[in-house]
Amino acid sequence: MDGTVLVADDDRTIRTVLTQALTRAGCKVHATSSLTTLMRWVGEGKGDVVISDVVMPDGNGLEMLPKIAQDRPGLPVIVISAQNTIMTAIQAAEADAYDYLPKPFDLPDLMKRTARALDQKQRVQAEVAETTGDRPEELPLVGRTPVMQALYRLVARVMNTDLSVMISGESGTGKSLISRAIHDFSDRRTLPFVTATAAELRDLEGPARVMARVRGGTLLIDEIADIEDELQARIVRMMDTPGDHVPRFMATSQSDMTEAMENGRVRQDLYYRLCGATVHVPALRERVDDITLLADHFLAREEREHGAKRWLSPDAVELVRRYSWPGNVRQLENAIRRLSLTSRADEISKAEVEMVLGSQPEAEPILGDGEREKLSASVERHLRRYFDLHGNLLPPPGLYQRILREVEAPLIELALDATGGNQAKCADLLGINRNTLRKKITDLDIQVTRRRKLM
């Protein structure tokens, strides 16, 4: 069995027996003697199946079923009860319980019923996903480069925490997709995912309506640095008084949030509330080796949707790899879609790619051979762009340590990956003391669990 089971029973022995049996069967288990705790878990989106007693110290389990059905439609509830009368069975059926077992119950029988409930839940989720299909506005989480692998690890670490999440990155990199992925794979996945717009928040009753829609799920505030100060103050109040079902707050921004706060574009109190965890989505030019992978992904999708198999010629592949992609993955997706629809042959030529890229708005010139660019030149180019972003102003103080930290963390992560997580080898590779490496791993909050050696 695979899934999370919520167990509510005031008998400690029953909780222990069910926890042990379900854990051995491969399930995660949360057990409690309180209906209040059970309902809080349900409201937070935890659990794939509920096993609940009827008579509990703080209420009646049957009376909770309509509330569970309202908050979590489709969540199976198996009722167990020592009050094994016909009325109890009827009440359980009327309340739309998934199943009912009188006490004392047969443990193997309960395990089989739980397995069926989990299978039904997973089938329903699969059917919903199949019906929904790919959202055209989303970008795929495709990438094998070290920066994308580091992004995946970070997303996995923050997924099931209650920390607010700040997602930054250039336009078209996939910030909204990252926020959606964090929600869809978290314990809140069965609860609403709501994106709050500035227009909604301008209405005095807007924040209350937004919180009523999100109901303990995930609330995303898009491009927070572009929202006026008055609305940012409302968001602060909304986060401080969330009501009964506390949602998870996430926000996206094309701007660096620290700079936006220092420049007065983001309120300091909002900054500290939103930046519980920060996730930066890299630009496409920072992961050149993923470009071909993404292009193939888009071509395969076009083949599924339109039945026309297309591929890029070797010269076209090289051209696509060397292009700067100022619009990031979104621009690449649009370009590949257009090439797939307009190409005169199955193999897309270099000339066709040049024609599409030449007509793209705000397109930058094709880059030179970046693979032969010296590291120092690449670093200088990024730093110069950072200075240019400030116009005639100087960057905020503390630049030296800030840049060192930006370089140090990925360097150590890559070195750990290359040495399979062996800290002694990693320290030797970096040329630093092992104790120094351990301190940096702690200070930079680098995950050092199982790591795969890079090929």
Side-chain angles (χ1 to χ4, degrees), residues 392-436:
N392 295 326
L393 300 175
L394 290 174
L399 177 62
Y400 184 77
Q401 290 300 325
R402 195 156 61 245
I403 295 298
L404 280 185
R405 186 179 180 86
E406 287 290 327
V407 173
E408 206 169 26
L411 174 60
I412 292 175
E413 287 198 337
L414 286 169
L416 283 167
D417 278 330
T419 56
N422 186 310
Q423 293 186 23
K425 289 183 178 179
C426 180
D428 184 60
L429 175 64
L430 294 171
I432 60 176
N433 184 276
R434 187 175 180 181
N435 290 332
T436 302

Side-chain angles (χ1 to χ4, degrees), residues 4 44-47 72 159-160 183 185-190:
T4 301
E44 291 172 351
K46 294 178 179 176
R72 298 277 300 281
M159 192 171 290
N160 282 318
H183 171 82
F185 291 95
S186 74
D187 291 337
R188 298 177 190 255
R189 60 188 174 274
T190 57

Side-chain angles (χ1 to χ4, degrees), residues 243-261:
D244 294 334
H245 297 301
V246 180
R248 182 177 203 171
F249 290 92
M250 290 196 279
T252 65
S253 176
Q254 293 184 38
S255 307
D256 180 273
M257 280 291 282
T258 303
E259 294 176 20
M261 181 193 69

Side-chain angles (χ1 to χ4, degrees), residues 72-271:
R72 298 277 300 281
L75 178 65
V77 181
I78 300 174
V79 174
I80 55 177
S81 176
Q83 294 182 322
N84 50 0
T85 65
I86 185 65
M87 284 307 299
T88 305
I90 291 173
Q91 289 170 351
E94 288 178 342
D96 288 331
Y98 173 81
D99 216 333
Y100 164 75
L101 278 83
K103 291 181 180 180
F105 53 80
D106 179 62
L107 182 59
D109 183 31
L110 176 57
M111 295 293 287
K112 289 178 183 177
R113 294 172 190 242
T114 304
R116 284 200 297 269
L118 284 168
D119 287 341
Q120 174 184 291
K121 184 75 162 47
Q122 290 165 357
R123 280 198 305 273
V124 169
Q125 289 176 339
E127 289 169 3
V128 169
E130 185 176 349
T131 303
T132 304
D134 290 335
R135 295 180 176 87
E137 73 276 8
E138 289 185 349
L139 305 175
L141 275 175
V142 174
R144 297 174 183 164
T145 51
V147 289
M148 286 303 290
Q149 294 303 312
L151 175 62
Y152 299 157
R153 288 195 296 269
L154 179 56
V155 167
R157 289 204 296 269
V158 305
M159 192 171 290
N160 282 318
T161 69
D162 292 325
L163 291 171
S164 58
V165 181
M166 185 65 236
I167 305 169
S168 64
E170 296 178 8
S171 176
T173 51
K175 299 185 294 296
S176 296
L177 177 58
I178 293 295
S179 66
R180 188 78 210 208
I182 292 173
H183 171 82
D184 286 348
F185 291 95
S186 74
D187 291 337
R188 298 177 190 255
R189 60 188 174 274
T190 57
L191 297 173
F193 178 90
V194 175
T195 300
T197 64
E200 288 177 296
L201 297 174
R202 285 192 187 96
D203 188 336
L204 287 176
E205 299 299 321
R209 285 197 293 268
V210 168
M211 295 302 285
R213 284 166 54 208
V214 73
R215 288 202 335 268
T218 300
L219 178 59
L220 174 68
I221 304 163
D222 198 30
E223 293 303 329
I224 189 69
D226 295 338
I227 295 177
E228 54 262 41
D229 186 78
E230 181 183 350
L231 298 188
Q232 291 187 23
R234 289 188 185 179
I235 295 170
V236 170
R237 290 193 293 272
M238 189 168 62
M239 295 181 72
D240 288 345
T241 55
D244 294 334
H245 297 301
V246 180
R248 182 177 203 171
F249 290 92
M250 290 196 279
T252 65
S253 176
Q254 293 184 38
S255 307
D256 180 273
M257 280 291 282
T258 303
E259 294 176 20
M261 181 193 69
E262 292 170 346
N263 294 336
R265 293 178 58 204
V266 173
R267 293 171 60 99
Q268 190 176 59
D269 50 0
L270 181 58
Y271 170 85

Side-chain angles (χ1 to χ4, degrees), residues 222-378:
D222 198 30
E223 293 303 329
I224 189 69
D226 295 338
I227 295 177
E228 54 262 41
D229 186 78
E230 181 183 350
L231 298 188
Q232 291 187 23
R234 289 188 185 179
I235 295 170
V236 170
R237 290 193 293 272
M238 189 168 62
M239 295 181 72
D240 288 345
T241 55
D244 294 334
H245 297 301
V246 180
R248 182 177 203 171
F249 290 92
M250 290 196 279
T252 65
S253 176
Q254 293 184 38
S255 307
D256 180 273
M257 280 291 282
T258 303
E259 294 176 20
M261 181 193 69
E262 292 170 346
N263 294 336
R265 293 178 58 204
V266 173
R267 293 171 60 99
Q268 190 176 59
D269 50 0
L270 181 58
Y271 170 85
Y272 289 116
R273 283 166 174 79
L274 284 176
C275 290
T278 57
V279 176
H280 177 72
V281 187
L284 190 53
R285 63 182 173 276
E286 297 173 35
R287 51 185 189 113
V288 174
D289 289 337
D290 286 333
I291 291 176
T292 307
L293 195 66
L294 283 160
D296 290 342
H297 173 88
F298 292 132
L299 287 168
R301 191 178 66 186
E302 291 299 311
E303 181 184 355
R304 290 194 302 270
E305 293 180 358
H306 302 291
K309 184 175 178 60
R310 299 278 190 270
W311 61 89
L312 296 169
S313 69
D315 286 346
V317 169
E318 182 61 24
L319 185 58
V320 167
R321 278 178 54 87
R322 293 176 58 200
Y323 188 67
S324 60
W325 298 110
N328 293 297
V329 185
R330 178 76 70 201
Q331 185 188 8
L332 174 64
E333 179 189 27
N334 291 336
I336 294 297
R337 178 178 295 167
R338 181 175 169 183
L339 286 164
S340 177
L341 294 174
T342 61
S343 177
R344 289 170 295 204
D346 292 341
E347 184 174 81
I348 300 170
S349 68
K350 177 181 178 182
E352 288 173 316
V353 174
E354 286 178 331
M355 184 176 298
V356 167
L357 294 182
S359 65
Q360 295 260 334
E362 300 180 3
E364 296 178 2
I366 294 170
L367 295 175
D369 190 353
E371 293 181 358
R372 280 184 258 178
E373 183 180 30
K374 290 184 178 179
L375 177 60
S376 59
S378 177

